[in-house]
């Protein structure tokens, strides 16, 4: 298995594949723009995981965002951490997390933050196991709409931190 910083070209192609599978979902086009431009500008760092050269998952660090509780001044937020379903439950998310943590330490990040929906109990348990035990805040976030004329979905997010 290989975990490394993804190129903006790889990130764009990954989002293009999602767009091709769900061409009517407008949110994917917006997310592609946000992730590609964010990695290009240095606001984000996306790590891809590969198994025998094939994509299996990813994690993204947000280095500069709108929420000063979660990013900036030596803080970075883990904003995307996912695996293809057949790779879940094998400790691979932890490997991706540790690679992001190592990169953060090497780049003068002192605190990692993470947000999780209250209904994602298993993820909360995993994040606690990884050391995200300091509660920071509860916020609401609104995702981009999936179709013209729709409102984006609004969710509640619990935010935690960990010193590294």
């Amino acid at each position: 298995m290989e975990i490394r910083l993804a190129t903006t070209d790889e990130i764009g192609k990954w989002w293009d594949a999602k767009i091709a599978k769900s061409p009517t979902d407008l949110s994917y086009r917006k997310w592609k723009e946000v992730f590609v431009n964010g990695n290009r500008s240095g606001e984000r760092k996306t790590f891809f995981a590969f198994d025998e050269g094939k994509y299996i998952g990813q994690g993204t660090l947000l280095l500069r965002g709108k929420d000063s509780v979660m990013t900036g001044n030596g803080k970075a937020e883990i904003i995307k951490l996912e695996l293809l379903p057949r790779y879940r439950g094998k400790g691979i998310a932890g490997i991706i997390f540790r690679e992001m943590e190592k990169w953060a330490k090497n780049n003068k990040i002192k605190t990692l933050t993470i947000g999780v929906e209250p209904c994602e109990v298993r993820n909360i348990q995993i994040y606690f196991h990884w050391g995200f035990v300091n509660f920071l805040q509860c916020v609401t976030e609104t995702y981009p709409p999936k179709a013209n004329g729709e409102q984006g979905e609004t969710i509640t997010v619990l935010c935690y931190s960990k010193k590294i």
Side-chain angles (χ1 to χ4, degrees), residues 109-139:
I109 303 296
K110 303 290 183 205
T111 303
L112 288 177
T113 62
I114 198 161
V116 61
E117 292 181 60
C119 62
E120 295 177 330
V121 176
R122 180 69 182 126
N123 289 349
I124 292 171
Q125 292 170 332
I126 291 167
Y127 301 155
F128 269 49
H129 176 74
W130 290 347
F132 290 90
V133 295
N134 302 311
F135 179 76
L136 296 173
Q137 64 184 354
C138 179
V139 297

Side-chain angles (χ1 to χ4, degrees), residues 49-92:
F50 299 92
D51 184 32
E52 297 180 6
K54 293 182 182 175
Y55 170 90
I56 62 169
Q58 67 178 290
T60 295
L61 288 172
L62 178 63
L63 305 175
R64 294 183 306 274
K66 295 175 187 168
D67 187 342
S68 64
V69 172
M70 300 295 282
T71 65
N73 295 321
K75 294 177 288 201
E77 180 182 5
I78 297 172
I79 57 167
K80 186 167 190 63
L81 186 57
E82 70 174 24
L83 287 169
L84 295 177
R86 69 177 176 258
Y87 293 93
R88 294 177 187 158
K90 299 177 181 186
I92 297 169

